[in-house]
Amino acid sequence: MPKPQRKHISLALQGGGAHGAFTWGVLDRLMRDKHIFIDGISGTSAGAMNAAVFTDGFIKGGRQGAIDNLHNFWKRVSEQSVLAAHNGTGWGTGAWFAPQSADPWNVDNSPAFMMADFVTRMFSPYQLNPMNINPLRDILMDMVDFEQLRQRNDIKLFVSATNVRTCKLKLFRTNELYVEALLASACIPLAFQAVEFRGEHYWDGGYLANPAISPLIHECHSGDVIIVQINPMNRPDLPKSAREILNRLNEISFNSTLVREMSGMATISKLVADGKLKDTPYRKVNFHMIAAEEQMSRLGASSKFNADWRFLQELYDLGVETTEAWLDENFDHINVKSTLNMVETYT
């Protein structure tokens, strides 16, 4: 029986707070398939952190290093988070942050979440956190050798952030990857002070690219892009309660830039297929998506702040299982044809 050929791909990793643990599972499963090679990664917020931690682990210890680094990163995020819905003994905020809803991971009605939600709407992070303390900074500085990473011209990483002053997208490439780039990409304006880097200030990249697709096409060699989607595109029911409406607004907001960019990509792909873009920089690109929309749509926006280790492990398991099923069905299509219907999904 012939051995499967090598499959070269690029990855587009969405942001979504704790829901990024789903992407952890996806990356773990992809790395365990020795026939898959990753050419480039574009990430936003949690997707950017996954990308940097994953790549740093690979540099230090190959495939197993990447797998171990991601596990250790998410474990540390859970251990150092004050927002962990844990209603038993041990670390965490206990019943004070325990979910009070039918879904064990949504924390809309927990006293701690409601207080934090109220306070951050009344006071800015410059008032609430004048020392600008961010536990993620210490975790990332401990776990990622940014200097070594910046020197790797062969590695293609793209991290998205939003320039507060100009309303323009900032793409940090590998040679610009300082810890500030990752913190900028994940900077929620109501929770953290804008991240300053080289005289400019940045907020979460999801407002302008979640994530950016074009650099994977124009700056990477692979002709296949896999989007790891963690913000649900579709919901079966109309949101009617205040919380349901806020949840859906969150999903729409953090999908809007991807929808817009992919809608344009759908048009370009058709023109390329029709032979109308010969002698131009545009080329045939196969698009794919790994997502668990049915399961992720059961989670509200508040669960993005829930760093309970059991919840993160559940999302990780879902990512592994979803990727396993996706590979079983689509491995032979990689580098051959698209498995994502862009017109149906984004237009």
Side-chain angles (χ1 to χ4, degrees), residues 26-313:
V26 173
L27 292 172
D28 186 299
R29 178 59 188 86
L30 289 174
M31 207 46 351
R32 293 179 191 275
D33 191 321
K34 295 184 178 180
H35 296 98
I36 296 224
F37 291 79
I38 298 172
D39 184 31
I41 306 178
S42 176
T44 297
S45 193
M49 295 189 185
N50 273 322
V53 171
F54 172 84
T55 303
D56 178 77
F58 186 85
I59 292 171
K60 295 172 180 174
R63 290 177 181 265
Q64 191 59 48
I67 291 168
D68 293 342
N69 224 34
L70 276 176
H71 176 275
N72 295 337
F73 170 75
W74 284 100
K75 184 65 173 174
R76 287 192 61 179
V77 167
S78 179
E79 290 173 346
Q80 296 192 28
S81 175
V82 296
L83 298 182
H86 181 69
N87 56 9
T89 58
W91 61 266
T93 52
W96 179 243
F97 196 71
Q100 306 293 320
S101 65
D103 191 300
W105 305 125
N106 288 332
V107 293
D108 300 308
N109 299 319
S110 72
F113 180 81
M114 287 192 291
M115 177 174 287
D117 187 51
F118 173 78
V119 170
T120 55
R121 293 174 190 273
M122 295 293 294
F123 303 97
S124 84
Y126 297 87
Q127 297 169 297
L128 294 172
N129 185 11
M131 300 299 292
N132 200 21
I133 297 170
N134 188 338
L136 280 172
R137 176 184 290 273
D138 293 334
I139 296 173
L140 290 167
M141 288 297 292
D142 285 346
M143 296 197 65
V144 178
D145 187 337
F146 287 95
E147 183 175 355
Q148 177 180 244
L149 187 58
R150 289 193 298 272
Q151 294 173 357
R152 294 295 297 264
N153 295 325
D154 56 319
I155 290 176
K156 303 179 186 69
L157 293 179
F158 309 94
V159 170
S160 300
T162 298
N163 188 308
V164 180
R165 185 181 61 84
T166 65
C167 191
K168 292 181 180 179
L169 174 67
K170 169 62 178 177
L171 268 182
F172 293 96
R173 291 169 172 81
T174 308
N175 63 350
E176 291 184 291
L177 281 187
Y178 294 78
V179 68
E180 287 80 10
L182 298 183
L183 296 177
S185 186
C187 181
I188 302 171
L190 294 180
F192 299 104
Q193 296 182 25
V195 176
E196 183 179 0
F197 182 73
R198 294 178 176 172
E200 293 288 355
H201 291 80
Y202 299 97
W203 281 339
D204 194 301
Y207 297 112
L208 293 179
N210 195 19
I213 304 297
S214 59
L216 297 177
I217 297 173
H218 300 299
E219 300 181 41
C220 296
H221 297 298
S222 172
D224 286 63
V225 174
I226 299 180
I227 299 167
V228 181
Q229 180 99 19
I230 61 176
N231 297 289
M233 291 279 293
N234 303 285
R235 280 191 176 270
D237 302 317
L238 179 70
K240 294 183 178 180
S241 72
R243 182 56 61 182
E244 288 171 346
I245 292 170
L246 286 171
N247 286 344
R248 190 56 180 154
L249 281 173
N250 179 278
E251 292 169 351
I252 291 173
S253 297
F254 283 99
N255 274 324
S256 61
T257 56
L258 181 63
V259 170
R260 183 167 60 250
E261 187 171 14
M262 290 302 295
S263 176
M265 294 293 178
T267 300
I268 291 171
S269 294
K270 186 177 186 309
L271 291 173
V272 170
D274 292 343
K276 297 180 179 179
L277 292 180
K278 293 180 179 178
D279 302 320
T280 73
Y282 297 103
R283 60 191 174 101
K284 178 180 181 293
V285 178
N286 301 317
F287 288 96
H288 316 273
M289 179 188 289
I290 297 177
E293 187 161 273
E294 180 181 350
Q295 296 90 330
M296 299 298 282
S297 66
R298 298 172 190 158
L299 302 171
S302 68
S303 65
K304 293 180 178 181
F305 297 95
N306 184 355
D308 188 299
W309 181 238
R310 297 164 303 170
F311 179 42
L312 300 182
Q313 286 182 305

Side-chain angles (χ1 to χ4, degrees), residues 328-343:
D328 286 344
E329 183 176 352
N330 297 294
F331 180 87
D332 290 339
H333 300 316
I334 301 174
N335 301 159
V336 177
K337 67 177 183 178
S338 293
T339 60
L340 173 64
N341 186 326
M342 292 190 290
V343 173

